Amino acid sequence: QVKLVESGGGSVQAGGSLRLSCVASGGNTRSRNCIAWFRQAPGKEREGVANIYTGADIVDYADSVMGQFTISQDNAKNTVYLQMESLRPEDTGMYYCAARAKRYDEFGCDFATYTFWGQGTQVTVSS
């Protein structure tokens, strides 16, 4: 089974930056061709932030973080990153890495139906 381990969270002042890492291992590599970052703030629903089709470096972002966050990968390390810049208090939340197989009939990935999940890493942005 796929295992995902997140790291890089912490507490920062507004305007600061963080880089989150997600290391993937185990399972058939095709079962984790889609990697996504989600976040959940207290009292709010979980929302997709960014995703990547690792086989082709096709990326997508939520409108709320477009131009602010960047998702990337290091194939040799089986690691996906989320670079977060100009952080705002509303970016506070638990950030999760998730994985699933890419379906044959989709061009890239989206935020639906992820199979495997990491433990999460907390991001706190203060004013």
Side-chain angles (χ1 to χ4, degrees), residues 5 22 54 108 125:
V5 179
C22 173
T54 59
V125 185

Side-chain angles (χ1 to χ4, degrees), residues 56-67:
D57 268 331
I58 298 171
V59 303
D60 193 29
Y61 301 93
D63 290 343
S64 61
V65 304
M66 189 75 70

Side-chain angles (χ1 to χ4, degrees), residues 16-126:
S17 63
L18 286 171
R19 188 181 73 162
L20 307 184
S21 298
C22 173
V23 180
S25 63
N28 188 321
T29 57
R30 294 184 182 273
S31 69
R32 45 183 165 90
N33 283 350
C34 288
I35 302 291
W37 287 97
F38 294 81
R39 67 185 179 188
Q40 187 167 24
K44 297 183 179 180
E45 294 184 349
R46 185 180 63 204
E47 62 175 344
V49 174
N51 64 66
I52 181 168
Y53 170 33
T54 59
D57 268 331
I58 298 171
V59 303
D60 193 29
Y61 301 93
D63 290 343
S64 61
V65 304
M66 189 75 70
Q68 182 191 3
F69 292 2
T70 303
I71 189 169
S72 62
Q73 67 174 328
D74 184 333
N75 288 322
K77 297 181 178 180
N78 293 124
T79 301
V80 172
Y81 303 98
L82 185 68
Q83 181 69 39
M84 305 185 294
E85 305 285 355
S86 301
L87 284 164
R88 310 155 298 180
E90 52 262 45
D91 295 317
T92 292
M94 185 70 77
Y95 283 69
Y96 298 91
C97 180
R100 66 164 173 85
K102 179 182 175 296
R103 304 178 187 93
Y104 76 95
D105 60 345
E106 59 185 350
F107 177 70
C109 302
D110 59 19
F111 294 113
T113 322
Y114 278 78
T115 307
F116 305 103
W117 293 81
Q119 81 287 353
T121 185
Q122 178 68 36
V123 172
T124 302
V125 185
S126 58

